[in-house]
C-alpha cells in the first residue's frame, strides 16, 4: 500500500537526499524541497569515512550508528553506480592516523584494534614507519609514525548528495527549490509553500540541518539543534596527482584529505554560538591553515583556491535525532548529525526511509527518537 503514499522531504543535504533516494527505490512518491542555503553543511563538507579512529568513547549507541554508516557505503556506492551515477567524489583511499606523541598514537592504535574486530571493512590496520607514511602522503612532516587504515575513504558530500537526488528523480521523485513553512492542523503537520498553498503529503520528513529549528518552531517544537560553523580551506598543488592520497587524521586536531583534481582540503574550525555568520574570519583561516602546515609543511607552496563555510547541525550532545515526532501526525525528523554527518547520513537516510515506508523503525534507530512538544 506504500505505493500510493506521498512523502515530502524538506532539506536535501546528505541525509534528506538519502531519504529521498531510498524512498524512491521503494516506489514511494517523493517530493524534495530544498532552500539551497549557501551555508548548508553538505556543500562545504569534505567527508572522511573512517569511524573506527574516533577518539569518542562511552557512546555505544552513537558509535554503533557511526560504524554502520561506514559499513553501508559499499552498498550505497554500488547501488548508485548501477544506474550510471559515477561522479560521487568517493574514493577508498585509506586513512592515516598520526599524533604528536608516541603515547597518544599507541592509545589510538589500541582503540582501533579493539574496534576493527567487528569491522572487516576497515581492512588490515597496521603501524607504518615515517618514511612509509610520507610515501603515501608526500607533504607530511618528516619523522611521523602513523597507523594505516586501508578501508578509510573520502567523499565529496556535494557530489554524492546531488547524485542521490538525481537518482531519486530518475525513479519518479520531484525536486525543487522553495521556502516552506509548517503548521499544525488537526494534530497533523501540514506544509505550506511560499505561494501560500499547502503541499499535499501523507508524511513529512524534516532533514533541514542547521535550519530545522526555524521550520519546526511553528509546530510548538523546541528543536535542540543549531549551527556549528566550520571554515574549511581548499588548496591546489598544481600538476600533482593527489587523487590516491589517504586521508590524514591527527588525533584531536584538524584533518586533511585530497581529491582527484590536485586539491587538498584542510578542515575545519568548530565554532559554536557564532550563529549563521557566513564570513571567512582571519582567525578561523589562520587556525586551519596553521594546523595544516604544521602537519604537512610540504603544502607551503600550494595555491589557496577557496575557504568554504558550512554550518554543521549540532545538537546538545553527540547523539543525532532520528525518528517520528511524538504527538504530531505524519512528521519525522532527521538531524543533529554534527561532524559525523557524512559518515552517518546515507545509512540514517535509509533507516528513515524504512521507518516512513514500512511504518516500523529499524532497530538501528532505537534510542535516537525526537522529543515531542512541551
Amino acid at each position: 500500500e506504500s505505493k500510493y503514499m506521498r512523502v515530502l522531504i524538506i532539506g536535501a543535504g546528505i541525509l534528506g537526499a538519502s531519504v529521498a533516494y531510498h524512498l524512491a527505490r521503494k516506489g514511494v512518491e517523493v517530493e524534495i524541497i530544498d532552500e539551497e542555503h549557501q551555508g548548508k553543511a553538505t556543500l562545504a563538507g569534505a567527508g572522511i569515512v573512517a569511524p573506527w579512529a574516533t577518539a569518542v568513547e562511552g557512546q555505544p549507541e552513537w558509535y554503533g550508528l557511526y560504524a554502520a554508516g561506514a559499513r553501508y557505503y559499499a552498498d550505497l556506492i554500488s547501488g548508485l553506480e548501477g544506474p550510471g551515477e559515477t561522479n560521487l567524489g568517493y574514493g577508498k583511499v585509506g586513512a592515516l592516523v598520526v599524533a604528536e606523541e608516541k603515547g597518544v598514537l599507541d592509545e589510538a592504535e589500541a582503540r582501533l584494534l579493539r574496534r576493527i574486530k567487528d569491522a572487516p571493512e576497515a581492512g588490515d590496520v597496521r603501524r607504518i614507519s615515517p618514511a612509509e607514511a610520507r610515501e603515501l602522503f608526500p607533504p607530511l612532516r618528516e619523522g611521523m609514525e602513523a597507523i594505516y587504515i586501508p578501508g578509510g575513504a573520502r567523499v565529496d558530500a556535494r557530489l554524492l548528495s546531488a547524485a542521490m537526488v538525481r537518482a531519486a528523480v530518475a525513479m519518479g521523485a520531484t525536486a525543487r527549490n522553495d521556502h516552506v513553512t509548517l503548521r499544525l492542523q488537526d494534530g497533523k503537520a501540514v506544509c505550506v509553500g511560499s505561494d501560500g498553498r499547502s503541499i499535499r503529503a501523507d508524511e513529512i520528513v524534516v532533514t533541514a540541518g542547521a535550519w530545522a529549528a526555524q521550520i519546526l518552531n511553528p509546530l510548538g517544537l523546541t528543536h535542540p539543534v543549531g549551527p556549528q560553523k566550520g571554515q574549511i580551506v581548499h588548496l591546489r598543488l598544481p600538476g600533482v596527482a593527489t587523487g590516491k592520497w589517504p586521508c590524514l587524521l591527527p588525533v584531536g586536531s584538524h584533518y586533511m584529505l585530497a581529491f582527484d583534481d590536485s586539491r587538498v582540503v584542510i578542515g575545519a574550525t568548530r565554532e559554536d554560538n557564532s550563529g549563521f555568520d557566513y564570513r571567512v574570519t582571519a582567525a578561523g583561516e589562520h587556525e586551519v591553515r596553521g594546523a595544516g602546515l604544521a602537519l604537512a609543511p610540504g603544502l607551503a607552496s600550494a595555491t589557496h583556491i577557496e575557504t568554504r563555510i558550512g554550518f554543521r547541525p549540532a545538537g546538545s550532545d553527540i547523539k543525532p535525532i532520528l525518528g517520528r515526532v511524538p504527538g504530531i501526525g505524519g512528521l519525522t525528523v532527521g538531524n543533529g548529525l554534527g561532524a559525523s554527518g557524512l559518515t552517518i547520513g546515507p545509512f540514517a537516510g535509509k533507516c528513515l526511509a524504512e521507518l516512513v515506508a514500512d511504518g516500523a523503525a529499524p532497530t538501528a534507530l532505537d534510542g535516537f527518537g525526537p522529543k515531542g512538544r512541551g
Side-chain angles (χ1 to χ4, degrees):
E1 65 121 33
S2 70
K3 279 254 182 299
Y4 305 106
M5 178 189 272
R6 188 170 198 278
V7 180
L8 177 64
I9 294 167
I10 303 173
I14 189 93
L15 181 55
S18 173
V19 178
Y21 167 66
H22 288 96
L23 281 174
R25 281 180 63 166
K26 290 172 172 287
V28 174
E29 189 187 335
V30 176
E31 181 169 9
I32 307 153
I33 297 184
D34 190 280
E35 199 167 341
E36 292 173 22
H37 287 286
Q38 266 327 105
K40 62 194 248 194
T42 295
L43 292 183
I48 298 173
V49 182
W52 323 286
T54 179
V56 174
E57 296 268 26
Q59 291 281 353
E61 286 175 314
W62 171 80
Y63 181 75
L65 197 61
Y66 201 19
R71 189 172 307 128
Y72 180 60
Y73 254 93
D75 283 358
L76 176 79
I77 299 298
S78 63
L80 285 165
E81 283 176 345
E85 289 291 353
T86 51
N87 186 21
L88 308 172
Y90 177 81
K92 208 166 205 184
V93 291
L96 293 178
V97 178
V98 293
E100 296 291 341
E101 289 98 33
K102 189 181 180 307
V104 175
L105 197 65
D106 291 341
E107 276 169 33
E109 185 176 33
R111 205 165 42 227
L112 261 164
L113 294 175
R114 186 176 77 238
R115 285 179 177 150
I116 61 170
K117 286 193 187 86
D118 310 317
E121 63 277 10
D124 176 24
V125 172
R126 61 185 193 277
R127 193 85 163 236
I128 61 173
S129 70
E132 236 187 309
R134 287 193 74 195
E135 213 169 290
L136 289 166
F137 196 96
L140 189 64
R141 196 170 85 212
E142 285 184 22
M144 292 201 87
E145 253 192 303
I147 304 161
Y148 179 51
I149 311 173
R154 49 100 171 130
V155 62
D156 183 324
R158 191 182 283 206
L159 294 178
L160 179 62
S161 299
M164 287 192 287
V165 170
R166 275 196 306 271
V169 168
M171 291 182 278
T174 54
R176 62 190 180 88
N177 176 359
D178 193 9
H179 172 80
V180 296
T181 49
L182 294 181
R183 57 189 174 84
L184 207 53
Q185 194 181 318
D186 305 326
K188 195 172 187 297
V190 178
C191 182
V192 180
S194 57
D195 61 2
R197 293 186 191 167
S198 61
I199 299 165
R200 191 174 73 76
D202 301 303
E203 295 277 347
I204 296 173
V205 181
V206 177
T207 44
W211 290 268
Q214 301 167 14
I215 293 170
L216 294 167
N217 194 29
L219 301 177
L221 293 169
T222 307
H223 187 61
V225 173
Q228 183 194 62
K229 181 178 172 181
Q231 305 187 46
I232 184 166
V233 172
H234 286 239
L235 306 174
R236 178 159 287 131
L237 284 166
V240 180
T242 55
K244 300 267 191 289
W245 289 5
C247 311
L248 210 53
L249 297 172
V251 178
S253 181
H254 298 66
Y255 58 86
M256 227 173 291
L257 64 155
F259 286 106
D260 296 325
D261 55 351
S262 303
R263 184 184 290 250
V264 178
V265 177
I266 313 168
T269 61
R270 291 191 179 196
E271 303 168 51
D272 292 308
N273 310 316
S274 60
F276 289 102
D277 171 6
Y278 288 82
R279 299 170 313 123
V280 174
T281 62
E285 189 153 45
H286 178 71
E287 173 194 321
V288 175
R289 209 183 306 169
L293 288 176
L295 201 59
L299 294 174
S301 61
T303 313
H304 177 263
I305 322 173
E306 60 178 328
T307 297
R308 293 185 185 174
I309 301 290
F311 299 104
R312 301 182 195 88
S316 43
D317 63 20
I318 198 167
K319 279 172 61 174
I321 298 167
L322 301 160
R324 286 196 177 283
V325 177
I328 296 181
L331 182 64
T332 298
V333 170
N335 207 349
L337 305 189
S340 55
L342 302 188
T343 299
I344 292 177
F347 176 70
K350 172 183 182 273
C351 293
L352 288 175
E354 286 166 20
L355 162 66
V356 168
D358 310 335
T363 53
L365 296 186
D366 288 357
F368 294 103
K371 293 191 170 36
R373 300 161 74 194

